[in-house]
Amino acid sequence: MKPTFSIVTPSFNQAGFIGRTIESVLGQTGGFPVEHWIIDGGSTDGTLEVLRRYADRVKWVSEPDRGQVDAINKGFRRATGDIVGWLNSDDVYEPGALEKVAEAFARAPEAKWCFGLCRVIDEHDREVRRGVTAYKNSWIRRYSPKRLLVCDFISQPAVFIKRDLFDDLGFLDETLEWAFDYEYWLRIAQRHEPVIINDYLAAFRWHPSSKTSNLFYKAERAALGVAKRYARDHRLHYWLHVWFYLRIIVAYTLLGFFDRLKKPHTPPETKP
């Protein structure tokens, strides 16, 4: 029997992107039963109009929530599929992603989670930051729980878990505003070995209005705090995380500087 999938998408005012997110789920190959839950926080920008166009193919609710983590957990509680994925409302799956995930779990039926590679794209769907992708890929191919303590290299859109894992580990930590995905990966890694798919499963969108691009430094500091929580018996790995944290901050600062240089200069308007 083919496995069933539940995809959870938290949403708030992403009318410009959520249609592409939905289409990337609907366009998956393999004929797997898929339920796509979109948990919207009460958008006012036209997102609901987009969702209504897909009303016969996705499941959605729109109501006030306590933020992104609350929305994701709401979706996780509604999920009924054997395998659960979490795709933010501006990210997309690569063609054939679910088929690759199903094949990976079929080869390792006892596994509880898997993850693969993830590209970075801009608001026009163009691949960017290839160096960052290559850096993360090099870590993924040498995965171990201790290395995960050193660096947060797993890209959230490319992670899939068995639904029964929630019975064992619970849901995302709602006390965290940032790095809640990293905390969950570390929580899983303490008990379960992943299946690693050496192929691209998703694309993470980096654009000026995204949460991560606007507050990247805050997110990295939060990841450092999460690593400290889990590194009680691995102090060396925590201090290695500090070292890589400093390197990443410098690297992203330089990337941001060069991104600003690339933007075309628009001369100020002059009055006639």
Side-chain angles (χ1 to χ4, degrees):
M1 294 179 63
K2 290 186 176 182
T4 57
F5 284 84
S6 293
I7 308 302
V8 173
T9 295
S11 166
F12 185 71
N13 287 346
Q14 290 282 6
F17 298 114
I18 195 166
R20 279 177 269 180
T21 300
I22 293 170
E23 287 292 344
S24 78
V25 177
L26 294 176
Q28 290 297 306
T29 57
F32 300 99
V34 180
E35 64 171 8
H36 189 182
W37 271 107
I38 298 169
I39 312 298
D40 183 76
S43 293
T44 57
D45 69 337
T47 295
L48 301 190
E49 285 74 9
V50 177
L51 296 181
R52 289 187 184 105
R53 294 204 299 267
Y54 292 96
D56 60 335
R57 290 178 285 176
V58 302
K59 300 179 179 181
W60 62 277
V61 295
S62 183
E63 60 188 15
D65 55 42
R66 297 189 302 275
Q68 186 181 11
V69 188
D70 178 42
I72 298 162
N73 281 342
K74 282 182 180 180
F76 285 167
R77 291 185 179 97
R78 287 172 166 83
T80 62
D82 304 312
I83 301 169
V84 180
W86 152 24
L87 188 68
N88 286 330
S89 53
D90 49 0
D91 301 335
V92 294
Y93 284 139
E94 295 278 356
L98 300 191
E99 198 166 3
K100 293 167 187 172
V101 170
E103 291 170 355
F105 278 128
R107 291 192 299 269
E110 300 304 315
K112 294 296 184 182
W113 68 311
C114 76
F115 60 85
L117 312 184
C118 184
R119 305 182 200 277
V120 184
I121 58 175
D122 66 9
E123 60 266 42
H124 305 293
D125 298 333
R126 298 174 300 204
E127 187 172 1
V128 295
R129 299 182 181 265
R130 295 173 188 265
V132 173
T133 302
Y135 176 78
K136 285 191 171 186
N137 291 352
S138 68
W139 280 87
I140 286 172
R141 291 173 180 132
R142 296 175 293 136
Y143 168 85
S144 74
K146 289 182 179 178
R147 284 195 173 99
L148 188 58
L149 274 174
V150 173
C151 181
D152 177 12
F153 52 81
I154 297 176
S155 294
Q156 165 264 310
V159 177
F160 294 83
I161 63 176
K162 295 283 186 68
R163 184 169 52 90
D164 60 9
L165 196 61
F166 296 140
D167 298 329
D168 183 26
L169 298 180
F171 299 101
L172 299 178
D173 185 346
E174 294 187 15
T175 68
L176 296 173
E177 183 182 1
W178 299 91
F180 44 84
D181 52 346
Y182 181 44
E183 189 278 332
Y184 205 65
W185 314 152
L186 289 170
R187 205 190 313 171
I188 300 173
Q190 287 184 327
R191 301 194 189 185
H192 303 284
E193 280 294 314
V195 176
I196 298 174
I197 301 172
N198 189 27
D199 205 346
Y200 288 94
L201 302 181
F204 164 81
R205 197 179 300 278
W206 183 277
H207 58 95
S209 60
S210 69
K211 179 180 176 182
T212 305
S213 65
N214 276 322
L215 296 167
F216 170 77
Y217 301 104
K218 192 171 183 178
E220 285 300 313
R221 285 196 298 272
L224 187 63
V226 168
K228 186 175 183 180
R229 182 197 302 185
Y230 279 86
R232 289 186 295 269
D233 299 323
H234 306 281
R235 300 303 297 172
L236 173 61
H237 295 85
Y238 168 70
W239 288 109
L240 286 172
H241 191 121
V242 173
W243 166 240
F244 280 100
Y245 161 79
L246 295 173
R247 291 177 59 182
I248 289 170
I249 291 298
V250 171
Y252 271 86
T253 300
L254 291 173
L255 283 170
F257 172 75
F258 288 118
D259 283 347
R260 290 190 292 273
L261 286 181
K262 290 177 184 177
K263 287 184 179 178
H265 174 67
T266 303
E269 293 183 4
T270 57
K271 294 183 179 179

